[in-house]
Amino acid sequence: MRISGIFSVTGMTLCALFCLSPVMAADLASVIQQRYETLKSFSAEFEQTLTHKESGSVERRQGSLLFQKPLLIRWQTAKPHEETLVVTAREIWDYLPDEEVAYRYPPSLVRDSRSIIQVITGQAALTKDFDVKPEGEDQGMAKLRLYPKEPAPQMVEAVIWVEPGSGYIRRASIVDFYG
């Protein structure tokens, strides 16, 4: 499954030259890491596209993401694919109103440094946990491809689009084990 999202966080600084060499990609990864490590909280509106490789089906969703340190997350999508995911230090809840069911998971699922949650909350060490490859500039943003040094089912590859000056991730595309 491929998950793509566009994140909206205030502030826009453009500097596409960061992404021209591997050294600059590492520098940009450090800027991203530092930016998200220092955030105490943030909120974002997102658009998400889920593409199922086997069936070819595509689902588009919109929603909001709320984050507060140390690790409190609320990911909520709007109708018609309504879902609420809540992450706390003790548990993860995934509520699907259409199915009238809530699933409870251990918090260890989001503590894996190879998850996008760990990247956007500043808890993944990008240059330690990922091979970071620059892919140039795309619409004023630096484009980086991330390969987990130890692939996990939830992420075997990711592409992030970053405001180089601010270090904010504006868009992400994640490929899981199933493609």
Side-chain angles (χ1 to χ4, degrees), residues 63-99:
S64 62
L65 169 66
L66 304 171
F67 167 75
Q68 182 177 341
K69 281 193 174 178
L71 187 60
L72 296 172
I73 299 169
R74 180 183 178 102
W75 172 281
Q76 187 161 10
T77 56
K79 292 180 180 181
H81 304 287
E82 195 173 11
E83 177 180 4
T84 301
L85 180 71
V86 176
V87 179
T88 71
R90 293 192 324 240
E91 57 204 1
I92 300 169
W93 287 96
D94 190 4
Y95 174 59
L96 306 169
D98 289 350
E99 298 176 24

PDB file of all heavy atoms in Angstrom, residues 63-99:
ATOM      1  N   GLY A  63      -8.140  15.067   6.521  1.00  0.00           N
ATOM      2  CA  GLY A  63      -8.260  15.008   7.969  1.00  0.00           C
ATOM      3  C   GLY A  63      -7.326  15.961   8.671  1.00  0.00           C
ATOM      4  O   GLY A  63      -6.777  16.888   8.069  1.00  0.00           O
ATOM      5  N   SER A  64      -7.154  15.689   9.959  1.00  0.00           N
ATOM      6  CA  SER A  64      -6.290  16.532  10.776  1.00  0.00           C
ATOM      7  C   SER A  64      -5.378  15.658  11.627  1.00  0.00           C
ATOM      8  O   SER A  64      -5.703  14.518  11.958  1.00  0.00           O
ATOM      9  CB  SER A  64      -7.131  17.444  11.672  1.00  0.00           C
ATOM     10  OG  SER A  64      -7.923  16.665  12.552  1.00  0.00           O
ATOM     11  N   LEU A  65      -4.234  16.230  11.947  1.00  0.00           N
ATOM     12  CA  LEU A  65      -3.231  15.569  12.764  1.00  0.00           C
ATOM     13  C   LEU A  65      -2.873  16.520  13.888  1.00  0.00           C
ATOM     14  O   LEU A  65      -2.540  17.687  13.641  1.00  0.00           O
ATOM     15  CB  LEU A  65      -1.987  15.251  11.926  1.00  0.00           C
ATOM     16  CG  LEU A  65      -0.736  14.783  12.660  1.00  0.00           C
ATOM     17  CD1 LEU A  65      -0.972  13.425  13.314  1.00  0.00           C
ATOM     18  CD2 LEU A  65       0.441  14.707  11.699  1.00  0.00           C
ATOM     19  N   LEU A  66      -2.972  16.050  15.128  1.00  0.00           N
ATOM     20  CA  LEU A  66      -2.573  16.828  16.294  1.00  0.00           C
ATOM     21  C   LEU A  66      -1.460  16.060  16.990  1.00  0.00           C
ATOM     22  O   LEU A  66      -1.548  14.840  17.168  1.00  0.00           O
ATOM     23  CB  LEU A  66      -3.743  17.005  17.262  1.00  0.00           C
ATOM     24  CG  LEU A  66      -5.008  17.644  16.695  1.00  0.00           C
ATOM     25  CD1 LEU A  66      -6.138  17.557  17.702  1.00  0.00           C
ATOM     26  CD2 LEU A  66      -4.744  19.075  16.298  1.00  0.00           C
ATOM     27  N   PHE A  67      -0.406  16.765  17.405  1.00  0.00           N
ATOM     28  CA  PHE A  67       0.712  16.130  18.084  1.00  0.00           C
ATOM     29  C   PHE A  67       1.148  16.983  19.258  1.00  0.00           C
ATOM     30  O   PHE A  67       1.199  18.205  19.161  1.00  0.00           O
ATOM     31  CB  PHE A  67       1.898  15.947  17.132  1.00  0.00           C
ATOM     32  CG  PHE A  67       3.177  15.587  17.846  1.00  0.00           C
ATOM     33  CD1 PHE A  67       3.364  14.319  18.352  1.00  0.00           C
ATOM     34  CD2 PHE A  67       4.170  16.532  18.033  1.00  0.00           C
ATOM     35  CE1 PHE A  67       4.529  13.987  19.031  1.00  0.00           C
ATOM     36  CE2 PHE A  67       5.346  16.209  18.709  1.00  0.00           C
ATOM     37  CZ  PHE A  67       5.518  14.929  19.210  1.00  0.00           C
ATOM     38  N   GLN A  68       1.449  16.320  20.375  1.00  0.00           N
ATOM     39  CA  GLN A  68       2.004  16.985  21.537  1.00  0.00           C
ATOM     40  C   GLN A  68       3.023  16.051  22.169  1.00  0.00           C
ATOM     41  O   GLN A  68       2.778  14.840  22.287  1.00  0.00           O
ATOM     42  CB  GLN A  68       0.917  17.326  22.540  1.00  0.00           C
ATOM     43  CG  GLN A  68       1.420  18.070  23.753  1.00  0.00           C
ATOM     44  CD  GLN A  68       0.295  18.446  24.699  1.00  0.00           C
ATOM     45  OE1 GLN A  68      -0.865  18.474  24.325  1.00  0.00           O
ATOM     46  NE2 GLN A  68       0.644  18.718  25.932  1.00  0.00           N
ATOM     47  N   LYS A  69       4.171  16.607  22.548  1.00  0.00           N
ATOM     48  CA  LYS A  69       5.215  15.788  23.176  1.00  0.00           C
ATOM     49  C   LYS A  69       4.794  15.410  24.576  1.00  0.00           C
ATOM     50  O   LYS A  69       4.076  16.153  25.214  1.00  0.00           O
ATOM     51  CB  LYS A  69       6.540  16.551  23.198  1.00  0.00           C
ATOM     52  CG  LYS A  69       7.210  16.494  21.856  1.00  0.00           C
ATOM     53  CD  LYS A  69       8.633  16.949  21.923  1.00  0.00           C
ATOM     54  CE  LYS A  69       9.240  16.716  20.544  1.00  0.00           C
ATOM     55  NZ  LYS A  69      10.591  17.146  20.432  1.00  0.00           N
ATOM     56  N   PRO A  70       5.212  14.224  25.048  1.00  0.00           N
ATOM     57  CA  PRO A  70       6.234  13.381  24.452  1.00  0.00           C
ATOM     58  C   PRO A  70       5.712  12.529  23.287  1.00  0.00           C
ATOM     59  O   PRO A  70       6.413  12.387  22.298  1.00  0.00           O
ATOM     60  CB  PRO A  70       6.722  12.515  25.600  1.00  0.00           C
ATOM     61  CG  PRO A  70       5.567  12.419  26.530  1.00  0.00           C
ATOM     62  CD  PRO A  70       4.818  13.716  26.374  1.00  0.00           C
ATOM     63  N   LEU A  71       4.550  11.968  23.354  1.00  0.00           N
ATOM     64  CA  LEU A  71       4.011  11.220  22.219  1.00  0.00           C
ATOM     65  C   LEU A  71       2.501  11.071  22.372  1.00  0.00           C
ATOM     66  O   LEU A  71       1.992  10.015  22.717  1.00  0.00           O
ATOM     67  CB  LEU A  71       4.673   9.841  22.076  1.00  0.00           C
ATOM     68  CG  LEU A  71       4.290   9.052  20.825  1.00  0.00           C
ATOM     69  CD1 LEU A  71       4.655   9.813  19.551  1.00  0.00           C
ATOM     70  CD2 LEU A  71       4.958   7.685  20.805  1.00  0.00           C
ATOM     71  N   LEU A  72       1.809  12.170  22.127  1.00  0.00           N
ATOM     72  CA  LEU A  72       0.353  12.164  22.087  1.00  0.00           C
ATOM     73  C   LEU A  72      -0.043  12.560  20.673  1.00  0.00           C
ATOM     74  O   LEU A  72       0.323  13.637  20.200  1.00  0.00           O
ATOM     75  CB  LEU A  72      -0.237  13.147  23.095  1.00  0.00           C
ATOM     76  CG  LEU A  72       0.038  12.849  24.560  1.00  0.00           C
ATOM     77  CD1 LEU A  72      -0.443  13.999  25.440  1.00  0.00           C
ATOM     78  CD2 LEU A  72      -0.654  11.553  24.970  1.00  0.00           C
ATOM     79  N   ILE A  73      -0.779  11.686  20.012  1.00  0.00           N
ATOM     80  CA  ILE A  73      -1.146  11.920  18.614  1.00  0.00           C
ATOM     81  C   ILE A  73      -2.632  11.637  18.430  1.00  0.00           C
ATOM     82  O   ILE A  73      -3.159  10.658  18.967  1.00  0.00           O
ATOM     83  CB  ILE A  73      -0.343  11.003  17.671  1.00  0.00           C
ATOM     84  CG1 ILE A  73       1.155  11.282  17.816  1.00  0.00           C
ATOM     85  CG2 ILE A  73      -0.803  11.167  16.218  1.00  0.00           C
ATOM     86  CD1 ILE A  73       2.032  10.258  17.144  1.00  0.00           C
ATOM     87  N   ARG A  74      -3.264  12.495  17.657  1.00  0.00           N
ATOM     88  CA  ARG A  74      -4.641  12.237  17.213  1.00  0.00           C
ATOM     89  C   ARG A  74      -4.658  12.468  15.709  1.00  0.00           C
ATOM     90  O   ARG A  74      -4.409  13.564  15.241  1.00  0.00           O
ATOM     91  CB  ARG A  74      -5.631  13.159  17.903  1.00  0.00           C
ATOM     92  CG  ARG A  74      -7.065  12.902  17.460  1.00  0.00           C
ATOM     93  CD  ARG A  74      -8.013  13.883  18.119  1.00  0.00           C
ATOM     94  NE  ARG A  74      -9.340  13.669  17.678  1.00  0.00           N
ATOM     95  CZ  ARG A  74     -10.285  13.044  18.373  1.00  0.00           C
ATOM     96  NH1 ARG A  74     -10.016  12.601  19.567  1.00  0.00           N
ATOM     97  NH2 ARG A  74     -11.487  12.898  17.880  1.00  0.00           N
ATOM     98  N   TRP A  75      -4.952  11.412  14.956  1.00  0.00           N
ATOM     99  CA  TRP A  75      -5.021  11.416  13.494  1.00  0.00           C
ATOM    100  C   TRP A  75      -6.474  11.120  13.174  1.00  0.00           C
ATOM    101  O   TRP A  75      -6.973  10.048  13.498  1.00  0.00           O
ATOM    102  CB  TRP A  75      -4.101  10.326  12.966  1.00  0.00           C
ATOM    103  CG  TRP A  75      -4.163  10.051  11.501  1.00  0.00           C
ATOM    104  CD1 TRP A  75      -5.115   9.321  10.847  1.00  0.00           C
ATOM    105  CD2 TRP A  75      -3.221  10.453  10.517  1.00  0.00           C
ATOM    106  NE1 TRP A  75      -4.820   9.255   9.518  1.00  0.00           N
ATOM    107  CE2 TRP A  75      -3.662   9.941   9.284  1.00  0.00           C
ATOM    108  CE3 TRP A  75      -2.057  11.198  10.556  1.00  0.00           C
ATOM    109  CZ2 TRP A  75      -2.964  10.154   8.104  1.00  0.00           C
ATOM    110  CZ3 TRP A  75      -1.366  11.395   9.377  1.00  0.00           C
ATOM    111  CH2 TRP A  75      -1.829  10.878   8.177  1.00  0.00           C
ATOM    112  N   GLN A  76      -7.161  12.078  12.582  1.00  0.00           N
ATOM    113  CA  GLN A  76      -8.587  11.884  12.311  1.00  0.00           C
ATOM    114  C   GLN A  76      -8.892  12.206  10.864  1.00  0.00           C
ATOM    115  O   GLN A  76      -8.503  13.254  10.352  1.00  0.00           O
ATOM    116  CB  GLN A  76      -9.420  12.773  13.231  1.00  0.00           C
ATOM    117  CG  GLN A  76     -10.896  12.500  13.125  1.00  0.00           C
ATOM    118  CD  GLN A  76     -11.642  13.019  14.332  1.00  0.00           C
ATOM    119  OE1 GLN A  76     -11.103  13.731  15.162  1.00  0.00           O
ATOM    120  NE2 GLN A  76     -12.901  12.661  14.424  1.00  0.00           N
ATOM    121  N   THR A  77      -9.576  11.268  10.214  1.00  0.00           N
ATOM    122  CA  THR A  77      -9.993  11.496   8.835  1.00  0.00           C
ATOM    123  C   THR A  77     -11.479  11.823   8.814  1.00  0.00           C
ATOM    124  O   THR A  77     -12.245  11.395   9.675  1.00  0.00           O
ATOM    125  CB  THR A  77      -9.704  10.267   7.943  1.00  0.00           C
ATOM    126  OG1 THR A  77     -10.340   9.116   8.511  1.00  0.00           O
ATOM    127  CG2 THR A  77      -8.221  10.015   7.828  1.00  0.00           C
ATOM    128  N   ALA A  78     -11.861  12.583   7.798  1.00  0.00           N
ATOM    129  CA  ALA A  78     -13.250  13.002   7.647  1.00  0.00           C
ATOM    130  C   ALA A  78     -14.036  11.951   6.864  1.00  0.00           C
ATOM    131  O   ALA A  78     -13.461  11.055   6.245  1.00  0.00           O
ATOM    132  CB  ALA A  78     -13.301  14.347   6.924  1.00  0.00           C
ATOM    133  N   LYS A  79     -15.348  12.091   6.876  1.00  0.00           N
ATOM    134  CA  LYS A  79     -16.206  11.199   6.104  1.00  0.00           C
ATOM    135  C   LYS A  79     -15.863  11.327   4.636  1.00  0.00           C
ATOM    136  O   LYS A  79     -15.395  12.367   4.209  1.00  0.00           O
ATOM    137  CB  LYS A  79     -17.676  11.554   6.343  1.00  0.00           C
ATOM    138  CG  LYS A  79     -18.109  11.241   7.750  1.00  0.00           C
ATOM    139  CD  LYS A  79     -19.561  11.587   7.960  1.00  0.00           C
ATOM    140  CE  LYS A  79     -19.954  11.249   9.388  1.00  0.00           C
ATOM    141  NZ  LYS A  79     -21.327  11.529   9.684  1.00  0.00           N
ATOM    142  N   PRO A  80     -16.051  10.349   3.823  1.00  0.00           N
ATOM    143  CA  PRO A  80     -16.744   9.090   4.058  1.00  0.00           C
ATOM    144  C   PRO A  80     -15.853   7.990   4.653  1.00  0.00           C
ATOM    145  O   PRO A  80     -16.348   6.952   5.040  1.00  0.00           O
ATOM    146  CB  PRO A  80     -17.215   8.673   2.671  1.00  0.00           C
ATOM    147  CG  PRO A  80     -16.166   9.203   1.759  1.00  0.00           C
ATOM    148  CD  PRO A  80     -15.695  10.488   2.403  1.00  0.00           C
ATOM    149  N   HIS A  81     -14.547   8.210   4.750  1.00  0.00           N
ATOM    150  CA  HIS A  81     -13.644   7.184   5.298  1.00  0.00           C
ATOM    151  C   HIS A  81     -13.218   7.574   6.700  1.00  0.00           C
ATOM    152  O   HIS A  81     -12.039   7.630   7.017  1.00  0.00           O
ATOM    153  CB  HIS A  81     -12.407   7.029   4.405  1.00  0.00           C
ATOM    154  CG  HIS A  81     -12.721   6.711   2.990  1.00  0.00           C
ATOM    155  ND1 HIS A  81     -13.178   5.479   2.596  1.00  0.00           N
ATOM    156  CD2 HIS A  81     -12.669   7.466   1.870  1.00  0.00           C
ATOM    157  CE1 HIS A  81     -13.383   5.491   1.291  1.00  0.00           C
ATOM    158  NE2 HIS A  81     -13.084   6.684   0.830  1.00  0.00           N
ATOM    159  N   GLU A  82     -14.191   7.837   7.542  1.00  0.00           N
ATOM    160  CA  GLU A  82     -13.930   8.339   8.878  1.00  0.00           C
ATOM    161  C   GLU A  82     -13.168   7.317   9.723  1.00  0.00           C
ATOM    162  O   GLU A  82     -13.501   6.136   9.747  1.00  0.00           O
ATOM    163  CB  GLU A  82     -15.257   8.681   9.552  1.00  0.00           C
ATOM    164  CG  GLU A  82     -15.117   9.533  10.767  1.00  0.00           C
ATOM    165  CD  GLU A  82     -16.467   9.985  11.290  1.00  0.00           C
ATOM    166  OE1 GLU A  82     -17.513   9.484  10.834  1.00  0.00           O
ATOM    167  OE2 GLU A  82     -16.460  10.843  12.169  1.00  0.00           O
ATOM    168  N   GLU A  83     -12.120   7.815  10.371  1.00  0.00           N
ATOM    169  CA  GLU A  83     -11.305   6.985  11.253  1.00  0.00           C
ATOM    170  C   GLU A  83     -10.610   7.904  12.245  1.00  0.00           C
ATOM    171  O   GLU A  83     -10.249   9.021  11.913  1.00  0.00           O
ATOM    172  CB  GLU A  83     -10.253   6.220  10.444  1.00  0.00           C
ATOM    173  CG  GLU A  83      -9.312   5.388  11.271  1.00  0.00           C
ATOM    174  CD  GLU A  83      -8.284   4.641  10.428  1.00  0.00           C
ATOM    175  OE1 GLU A  83      -8.239   4.818   9.199  1.00  0.00           O
ATOM    176  OE2 GLU A  83      -7.518   3.883  11.035  1.00  0.00           O
ATOM    177  N   THR A  84     -10.445   7.434  13.474  1.00  0.00           N
ATOM    178  CA  THR A  84      -9.716   8.191  14.480  1.00  0.00           C
ATOM    179  C   THR A  84      -8.651   7.285  15.068  1.00  0.00           C
ATOM    180  O   THR A  84      -8.945   6.189  15.539  1.00  0.00           O
ATOM    181  CB  THR A  84     -10.649   8.690  15.604  1.00  0.00           C
ATOM    182  OG1 THR A  84     -11.663   9.505  15.019  1.00  0.00           O
ATOM    183  CG2 THR A  84      -9.880   9.489  16.636  1.00  0.00           C
ATOM    184  N   LEU A  85      -7.414   7.760  15.017  1.00  0.00           N
ATOM    185  CA  LEU A  85      -6.291   7.041  15.598  1.00  0.00           C
ATOM    186  C   LEU A  85      -5.752   7.905  16.721  1.00  0.00           C
ATOM    187  O   LEU A  85      -5.433   9.081  16.506  1.00  0.00           O
ATOM    188  CB  LEU A  85      -5.204   6.804  14.548  1.00  0.00           C
ATOM    189  CG  LEU A  85      -3.966   6.055  15.010  1.00  0.00           C
ATOM    190  CD1 LEU A  85      -4.299   4.589  15.253  1.00  0.00           C
ATOM    191  CD2 LEU A  85      -2.866   6.171  13.971  1.00  0.00           C
ATOM    192  N   VAL A  86      -5.666   7.336  17.926  1.00  0.00           N
ATOM    193  CA  VAL A  86      -5.154   8.056  19.088  1.00  0.00           C
ATOM    194  C   VAL A  86      -3.983   7.270  19.649  1.00  0.00           C
ATOM    195  O   VAL A  86      -4.092   6.066  19.895  1.00  0.00           O
ATOM    196  CB  VAL A  86      -6.244   8.236  20.172  1.00  0.00           C
ATOM    197  CG1 VAL A  86      -5.677   8.910  21.414  1.00  0.00           C
ATOM    198  CG2 VAL A  86      -7.425   9.032  19.617  1.00  0.00           C
ATOM    199  N   VAL A  87      -2.860   7.966  19.826  1.00  0.00           N
ATOM    200  CA  VAL A  87      -1.654   7.343  20.370  1.00  0.00           C
ATOM    201  C   VAL A  87      -1.319   8.024  21.686  1.00  0.00           C
ATOM    202  O   VAL A  87      -1.237   9.250  21.753  1.00  0.00           O
ATOM    203  CB  VAL A  87      -0.459   7.495  19.395  1.00  0.00           C
ATOM    204  CG1 VAL A  87       0.803   6.872  19.983  1.00  0.00           C
ATOM    205  CG2 VAL A  87      -0.788   6.889  18.044  1.00  0.00           C
ATOM    206  N   THR A  88      -1.149   7.218  22.730  1.00  0.00           N
ATOM    207  CA  THR A  88      -0.704   7.715  24.028  1.00  0.00           C
ATOM    208  C   THR A  88       0.528   6.904  24.438  1.00  0.00           C
ATOM    209  O   THR A  88       0.915   5.958  23.740  1.00  0.00           O
ATOM    210  CB  THR A  88      -1.797   7.561  25.108  1.00  0.00           C
ATOM    211  OG1 THR A  88      -1.950   6.179  25.426  1.00  0.00           O
ATOM    212  CG2 THR A  88      -3.126   8.141  24.657  1.00  0.00           C
ATOM    213  N   ALA A  89       1.097   7.251  25.562  1.00  0.00           N
ATOM    214  CA  ALA A  89       2.267   6.518  26.056  1.00  0.00           C
ATOM    215  C   ALA A  89       1.916   5.077  26.418  1.00  0.00           C
ATOM    216  O   ALA A  89       2.778   4.202  26.398  1.00  0.00           O
ATOM    217  CB  ALA A  89       2.864   7.234  27.262  1.00  0.00           C
ATOM    218  N   ARG A  90       0.650   4.809  26.731  1.00  0.00           N
ATOM    219  CA  ARG A  90       0.260   3.473  27.181  1.00  0.00           C
ATOM    220  C   ARG A  90      -0.403   2.605  26.127  1.00  0.00           C
ATOM    221  O   ARG A  90      -0.423   1.384  26.250  1.00  0.00           O
ATOM    222  CB  ARG A  90      -0.687   3.596  28.380  1.00  0.00           C
ATOM    223  CG  ARG A  90      -0.010   4.157  29.599  1.00  0.00           C
ATOM    224  CD  ARG A  90      -0.854   4.016  30.842  1.00  0.00           C
ATOM    225  NE  ARG A  90      -2.267   4.194  30.581  1.00  0.00           N
ATOM    226  CZ  ARG A  90      -3.031   5.122  31.131  1.00  0.00           C
ATOM    227  NH1 ARG A  90      -2.517   5.969  31.968  1.00  0.00           N
ATOM    228  NH2 ARG A  90      -4.304   5.208  30.844  1.00  0.00           N
ATOM    229  N   GLU A  91      -1.009   3.234  25.106  1.00  0.00           N
ATOM    230  CA  GLU A  91      -1.746   2.433  24.137  1.00  0.00           C
ATOM    231  C   GLU A  91      -2.053   3.224  22.876  1.00  0.00           C
ATOM    232  O   GLU A  91      -1.914   4.438  22.835  1.00  0.00           O
ATOM    233  CB  GLU A  91      -3.051   1.917  24.753  1.00  0.00           C
ATOM    234  CG  GLU A  91      -3.931   3.030  25.272  1.00  0.00           C
ATOM    235  CD  GLU A  91      -4.883   2.581  26.351  1.00  0.00           C
ATOM    236  OE1 GLU A  91      -4.862   1.402  26.738  1.00  0.00           O
ATOM    237  OE2 GLU A  91      -5.653   3.423  26.824  1.00  0.00           O
ATOM    238  N   ILE A  92      -2.487   2.493  21.862  1.00  0.00           N
ATOM    239  CA  ILE A  92      -2.930   3.072  20.600  1.00  0.00           C
ATOM    240  C   ILE A  92      -4.364   2.600  20.382  1.00  0.00           C
ATOM    241  O   ILE A  92      -4.658   1.403  20.532  1.00  0.00           O
ATOM    242  CB  ILE A  92      -2.057   2.582  19.420  1.00  0.00           C
ATOM    243  CG1 ILE A  92      -0.604   2.990  19.634  1.00  0.00           C
ATOM    244  CG2 ILE A  92      -2.603   3.117  18.097  1.00  0.00           C
ATOM    245  CD1 ILE A  92       0.350   2.324  18.673  1.00  0.00           C
ATOM    246  N   TRP A  93      -5.227   3.524  20.031  1.00  0.00           N
ATOM    247  CA  TRP A  93      -6.606   3.186  19.708  1.00  0.00           C
ATOM    248  C   TRP A  93      -6.885   3.581  18.267  1.00  0.00           C
ATOM    249  O   TRP A  93      -6.558   4.686  17.846  1.00  0.00           O
ATOM    250  CB  TRP A  93      -7.588   3.922  20.625  1.00  0.00           C
ATOM    251  CG  TRP A  93      -7.590   3.371  22.013  1.00  0.00           C
ATOM    252  CD1 TRP A  93      -6.885   3.839  23.081  1.00  0.00           C
ATOM    253  CD2 TRP A  93      -8.324   2.235  22.470  1.00  0.00           C
ATOM    254  NE1 TRP A  93      -7.136   3.069  24.176  1.00  0.00           N
ATOM    255  CE2 TRP A  93      -8.022   2.073  23.840  1.00  0.00           C
ATOM    256  CE3 TRP A  93      -9.197   1.332  21.864  1.00  0.00           C
ATOM    257  CZ2 TRP A  93      -8.566   1.057  24.613  1.00  0.00           C
ATOM    258  CZ3 TRP A  93      -9.738   0.322  22.638  1.00  0.00           C
ATOM    259  CH2 TRP A  93      -9.430   0.183  23.989  1.00  0.00           C
ATOM    260  N   ASP A  94      -7.493   2.674  17.531  1.00  0.00           N
ATOM    261  CA  ASP A  94      -7.899   2.929  16.147  1.00  0.00           C
ATOM    262  C   ASP A  94      -9.403   2.691  16.083  1.00  0.00           C
ATOM    263  O   ASP A  94      -9.864   1.549  16.152  1.00  0.00           O
ATOM    264  CB  ASP A  94      -7.156   1.985  15.198  1.00  0.00           C
ATOM    265  CG  ASP A  94      -7.347   2.360  13.737  1.00  0.00           C
ATOM    266  OD1 ASP A  94      -7.995   3.386  13.443  1.00  0.00           O
ATOM    267  OD2 ASP A  94      -6.834   1.616  12.881  1.00  0.00           O
ATOM    268  N   TYR A  95     -10.175   3.782  15.967  1.00  0.00           N
ATOM    269  CA  TYR A  95     -11.629   3.705  15.987  1.00  0.00           C
ATOM    270  C   TYR A  95     -12.180   3.853  14.575  1.00  0.00           C
ATOM    271  O   TYR A  95     -11.883   4.817  13.871  1.00  0.00           O
ATOM    272  CB  TYR A  95     -12.209   4.787  16.897  1.00  0.00           C
ATOM    273  CG  TYR A  95     -13.716   4.871  16.862  1.00  0.00           C
ATOM    274  CD1 TYR A  95     -14.503   3.770  17.197  1.00  0.00           C
ATOM    275  CD2 TYR A  95     -14.349   6.045  16.504  1.00  0.00           C
ATOM    276  CE1 TYR A  95     -15.885   3.849  17.163  1.00  0.00           C
ATOM    277  CE2 TYR A  95     -15.738   6.140  16.469  1.00  0.00           C
ATOM    278  CZ  TYR A  95     -16.492   5.024  16.796  1.00  0.00           C
ATOM    279  OH  TYR A  95     -17.867   5.106  16.758  1.00  0.00           O
ATOM    280  N   LEU A  96     -12.978   2.862  14.162  1.00  0.00           N
ATOM    281  CA  LEU A  96     -13.617   2.853  12.845  1.00  0.00           C
ATOM    282  C   LEU A  96     -15.127   2.907  13.056  1.00  0.00           C
ATOM    283  O   LEU A  96     -15.781   1.889  13.284  1.00  0.00           O
ATOM    284  CB  LEU A  96     -13.229   1.585  12.082  1.00  0.00           C
ATOM    285  CG  LEU A  96     -11.727   1.334  11.947  1.00  0.00           C
ATOM    286  CD1 LEU A  96     -11.466  -0.060  11.418  1.00  0.00           C
ATOM    287  CD2 LEU A  96     -11.093   2.381  11.075  1.00  0.00           C
ATOM    288  N   PRO A  97     -15.729   4.105  12.985  1.00  0.00           N
ATOM    289  CA  PRO A  97     -17.161   4.241  13.280  1.00  0.00           C
ATOM    290  C   PRO A  97     -18.064   3.442  12.342  1.00  0.00           C
ATOM    291  O   PRO A  97     -19.094   2.926  12.771  1.00  0.00           O
ATOM    292  CB  PRO A  97     -17.433   5.732  13.177  1.00  0.00           C
ATOM    293  CG  PRO A  97     -16.216   6.362  12.671  1.00  0.00           C
ATOM    294  CD  PRO A  97     -15.110   5.372  12.682  1.00  0.00           C
ATOM    295  N   ASP A  98     -17.693   3.327  11.054  1.00  0.00           N
ATOM    296  CA  ASP A  98     -18.523   2.569  10.112  1.00  0.00           C
ATOM    297  C   ASP A  98     -18.655   1.109  10.541  1.00  0.00           C
ATOM    298  O   ASP A  98     -19.686   0.485  10.321  1.00  0.00           O
ATOM    299  CB  ASP A  98     -17.949   2.621   8.699  1.00  0.00           C
ATOM    300  CG  ASP A  98     -18.098   3.991   8.063  1.00  0.00           C
ATOM    301  OD1 ASP A  98     -18.811   4.840   8.640  1.00  0.00           O
ATOM    302  OD2 ASP A  98     -17.492   4.211   7.004  1.00  0.00           O
ATOM    303  N   GLU A  99     -17.606   0.586  11.117  1.00  0.00           N
ATOM    304  CA  GLU A  99     -17.611  -0.814  11.567  1.00  0.00           C
ATOM    305  C   GLU A  99     -18.013  -0.942  13.038  1.00  0.00           C
ATOM    306  O   GLU A  99     -18.113  -2.045  13.566  1.00  0.00           O
ATOM    307  CB  GLU A  99     -16.215  -1.424  11.366  1.00  0.00           C
ATOM    308  CG  GLU A  99     -15.793  -1.447   9.908  1.00  0.00           C
ATOM    309  CD  GLU A  99     -14.366  -1.954   9.736  1.00  0.00           C
ATOM    310  OE1 GLU A  99     -13.871  -2.687  10.616  1.00  0.00           O
ATOM    311  OE2 GLU A  99     -13.752  -1.605   8.709  1.00  0.00           O
TER     312      GLU A  99
END
